[in-house]
Amino acid sequence: MKKIILTGDRPTGNLHLGHYVGSLKNRVELQEKHDYDEMYVFIADTQALTDNFNNPKKVRDNIIEVALDYLSVGLDPNKVTIFIQSMISPLCELTMYYMNLVTLSRLERNPTVKTEIKQKDFGNSIPVGFLNYPISQTADITAFEATIVPVGEDQLPMLEQAREIVRSFNNIYGKTLVEPEALIPDSVVCRRLPGTDGKAKMSKSLGNCIYLKDDSKTVKKKVMSMYTDPNHLKVEDPGNTKDNPVFIYLEALSTDEHFKKYLPEYKNLDELKAHYEKGGLGDVKVKNFLYEVIEDTLRPIREKRKYYEDNIDLVYDILKEGSAKALEKANSTLKKVKKAMLIDYFD
Ligand code: ATP
Ligand code: MG
């Protein structure tokens, strides 16, 4: 069986450190290992519209932002097909057919959807399109016959839903679709990076992000005002590192090299944590270190971004070419699906 990798991001804002550690880093590593047959990365505008249908400009403007973020972290259009979801109309057709295979109660039970419905204050007025988005995600995944989907932990229920639809489809219409598998980061803290406010997830919609495009000054400001342990009032107080986003970010991003370079009095993160937990280590010192670590991470990303910002036509060409290539692939899957469903009347 072919090894096909697919992931996407919603153009609802710029990509942030959560995306970086939860998914982008994995994607670039996979790309560099080149241990796959095909790799697709897409900008999920159709999905973004399910909860931003009344703000089309936001979605449109963020297409190019997300594309710039992709290219600046090192996704390479020569190795990966980068495309825009709404350019691929077979995805809508597939969604329509898969809708028959899922019950309303199953969609309402999806934990990610449940959390997001609460977050978005839909109350009892949930748009059908929003509730339907796990089905549309299944269309995305199956259209490209993806076997591996690198995502953060919040997407696991989506992958489960996709697998159920695939099994159900194959049972009814004969083996046609490929069952995907989620690839989540090895490191637990990277699976769901918390926000700078200490909330469970850094998320564009919650405004608690450090963005990949943030400049040094902005990063400094955000890091210095980050939530830490609220009981760590005086430097001497023993501190909590477990639910402390400053330490969680260090866990996700820092290496022993960073310690050598910026904080040589500690060998590694374990030593720093031990000191904080014992008491006698102030937040400002830890935050200053975190700032340096984030800067080391973002510096090369900013440089690449600048190149593509100065060559923006190139970015549009990449999206256009990628979308044309993706359309071919999705059409070929749609053809198989229609044949299996006996609706290929004139073939
Ligand atoms: P929105 O608030 O609009 O839903 P988002 O910040 O959740 O935006 P998405 O575009 O929905 O971002 O997510 C894209 C990918 O990034 C998904 O695979 C998701 O699991 C992953 N991801 C998003 N936020 C985080 C995070 N804080 N930690 C780890 N992975 C994340
Ligand atoms: Mg999301």
Side-chain angles (χ1 to χ4, degrees), residues 7-12 15-16 18-19 21-23 27 47 51-52 116 119-120 150-155 189-194 200-206 209:
T7 37
D9 305 273
R10 295 149 42 91
T12 48
L15 300 186
H16 50 65
H19 295 113
V21 301
S23 174
R27 294 182 214 175
Q47 192 195 113
D51 55 328
N52 291 280
E116 290 179 344
Q119 233 177 51
K120 292 172 204 303
V151 285
E153 195 178 49
D154 64 314
Q155 293 300 306
V189 296
C190 293
R191 294 175 188 170
R192 186 187 300 250
L193 200 74
K201 185 175 169 277
M202 183 180 284
S203 161
K204 299 177 216 117
S205 311
L206 299 177
C209 308

Side-chain angles (χ1 to χ4, degrees), residues 20-71:
Y20 183 71
V21 301
S23 174
L24 293 171
K25 221 168 125 193
N26 253 344
R27 294 182 214 175
V28 177
E29 275 165 22
L30 284 165
Q31 168 191 286
E32 290 315 311
K33 267 199 253 155
H34 216 294
D35 176 25
Y36 57 85
D37 297 289
E38 294 163 38
M39 183 162 170
Y40 300 90
V41 174
F42 70 100
I43 306 177
D45 60 338
T46 309
Q47 192 195 113
L49 283 165
T50 64
D51 55 328
N52 291 280
F53 54 86
N54 51 3
N55 200 350
K57 189 160 181 324
K58 169 172 159 190
V59 174
R60 186 186 174 96
D61 290 347
N62 278 303
I63 295 270
I64 196 72
E65 289 299 318
V66 172
L68 283 166
D69 286 330
Y70 283 167
L71 296 166

